[in-house]
């Protein structure tokens, strides 16, 4: 597709279960970002991938969160032992490359995660 | 740390009304400033940006001027349309090596009635 694709669009899970959220960036984009939007809050940076460089994981809120990006394309965000406070919209974005002039980000529509 | 504060919504206007959504920021150095928009059912998309003081970003009739003296980046449009109904997010990108880490405001929901 032409845009950033995220799946699933909605995920309902029980507390304590693991979940995987998927992001397909725009083809050719080397930079990929994950953000989280909790109810009534702004978007919160989680993790950043750029090419083959080590990712910046400084925004991950706990060690229950992890992410990988395979082959420089698709990314998966995994949340282990989900808690109710993990309920949020998880947004993925990609950009053509990282430059000092702040490359334009293209966002997916997000995954709405609800932890019961 | 960096932060962005934008006026809380929701904002409801009639078509052709003047729009202002206030945004102020806290950051060290010289951040870049952005407005992103999220239309119903769609992902966030960049509306406009300004990368240095006194720059004016503009797009689709919207404008915002980077005011370092007041640390502000208010969004304005002279005559809104129903199709402008969306959530608007102000954001900053810090200067320096971590400028990929955008800091966003909480968003302002705008509804324009015919």
């Amino acid at each position: 597709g032409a845009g950033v694709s995220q799946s699933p669009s909605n995920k309902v899970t029980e507390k304590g279960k693991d979940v995987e959220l998927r992001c397909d960036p725009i083809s050719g984009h080397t930079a990929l970002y994950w953000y989280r939007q909790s109810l009534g809050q702004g978007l919160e940076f989680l993790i950043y991938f750029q090419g083959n460089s080590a990712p910046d994981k400084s925004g991950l809120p706990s060690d229950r969160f992890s992410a990988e990006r395979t082959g420089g394309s698709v990314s998966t965000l995994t949340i282990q032992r989900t808690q109710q406070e993990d309920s949020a919209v998880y947004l993925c974005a990609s950009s053509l490359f990282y430059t000092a002039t702040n490359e334009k980000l293209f966002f997916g529509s997000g995954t709405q995660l609800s932890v019961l | 740390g960096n932060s962005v504060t934008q006026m809380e919504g929701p904002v409801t206007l009639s078509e052709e009304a003047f729009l202002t959504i206030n945004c102020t920021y806290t950051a060290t150095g010289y951040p870049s400033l952005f407005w992103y928009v999220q239309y119903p059912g769609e992902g966030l998309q960049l509306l406009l940006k300004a990368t240095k003081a006194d720059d004016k970003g503009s797009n689709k009739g919207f404008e915002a001027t980077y005011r370092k003296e007041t640390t502000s980046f208010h969004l304005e449009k002279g005559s809104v349309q129903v199709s402008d109904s969306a959530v608007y997010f102000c954001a900053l990108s810090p200067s320096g090596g971590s400028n990929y880490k955008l800091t966003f405001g909480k968003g302002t929901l705008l509804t324009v009635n015919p």
Side-chain angles (χ1 to χ4, degrees):
Chain A
V4 177
S5 177
Q6 292 187 247
S7 60
S9 55
N10 282 283
K11 176 70 176 178
V12 180
T13 190
E14 294 179 351
K15 178 181 174 181
K17 301 284 189 182
D18 297 351
V19 295
E20 285 190 352
L21 312 180
R22 177 186 169 102
C23 173
D24 283 274
I26 293 173
S27 178
H29 280 194
T30 63
L32 187 146
Y33 314 72
W34 284 97
Y35 282 82
R36 174 170 75 172
Q37 185 177 23
S38 303
L39 189 63
Q41 301 299 313
L43 278 73
E44 172 190 13
F45 169 82
L46 297 178
I47 188 168
Y48 164 74
F49 295 91
Q50 171 57 39
N52 295 321
S53 302
D56 180 343
K57 304 179 181 180
S58 61
L60 295 178
S62 78
D63 58 8
R64 295 186 294 105
F65 287 72
S66 63
E68 62 177 21
R69 188 178 184 194
T70 54
S73 180
V74 171
S75 177
T76 302
L77 177 69
T78 301
I79 309 173
Q80 296 179 310
R81 305 181 303 282
T82 52
Q83 304 295 312
Q84 289 183 332
E85 60 263 29
D86 300 334
S87 297
V89 177
Y90 289 82
L91 294 169
C92 176
S94 69
S95 62
L96 186 58
F97 50 80
Y98 160 63
T99 73
T101 56
N102 316 113
E103 188 67 18
K104 177 179 176 179
L105 270 63
F106 293 81
F107 282 85
S109 296
T111 294
Q112 172 73 63
L113 175 65
S114 300
V115 181
L116 304 179
Chain B
N2 300 326
S3 66
V4 173
T5 303
Q6 60 182 102
M7 67 186 278
E8 295 194 15
V11 174
T12 302
L13 297 173
S14 297
E15 208 165 20
E16 299 183 3
F18 183 84
L19 169 71
T20 299
I21 301 178
N22 290 338
C23 171
T24 57
Y25 69 90
T26 301
T28 56
Y30 299 90
S32 294
L33 302 173
F34 307 83
W35 278 99
Y36 276 81
V37 58
Q38 186 173 27
Y39 297 105
E42 300 182 14
L44 275 79
Q45 54 187 277
L46 180 65
L47 179 61
L48 54 84
K49 71 176 184 181
T51 58
K52 61 184 187 295
D54 299 326
D55 267 3
K56 178 185 284 187
S58 61
N59 186 25
K60 299 183 180 180
F62 290 89
E63 293 183 339
T65 301
Y66 187 163
R67 301 286 188 201
K68 186 145 182 76
E69 64 276 15
T70 54
T71 61
S72 65
F73 193 55
H74 305 321
L75 182 68
E76 297 183 336
K77 186 174 186 182
S79 176
V80 294
Q81 304 301 311
V82 172
S83 57
D84 294 327
S85 297
V87 182
Y88 292 81
F89 294 88
C90 185
L92 73 81
S93 170
S95 54
S98 297
N99 63 354
Y100 50 82
K101 288 185 183 179
L102 294 180
T103 298
F104 286 84
K106 295 182 180 181
T108 302
L109 173 63
L110 170 67
T111 301
V112 180
N113 295 317

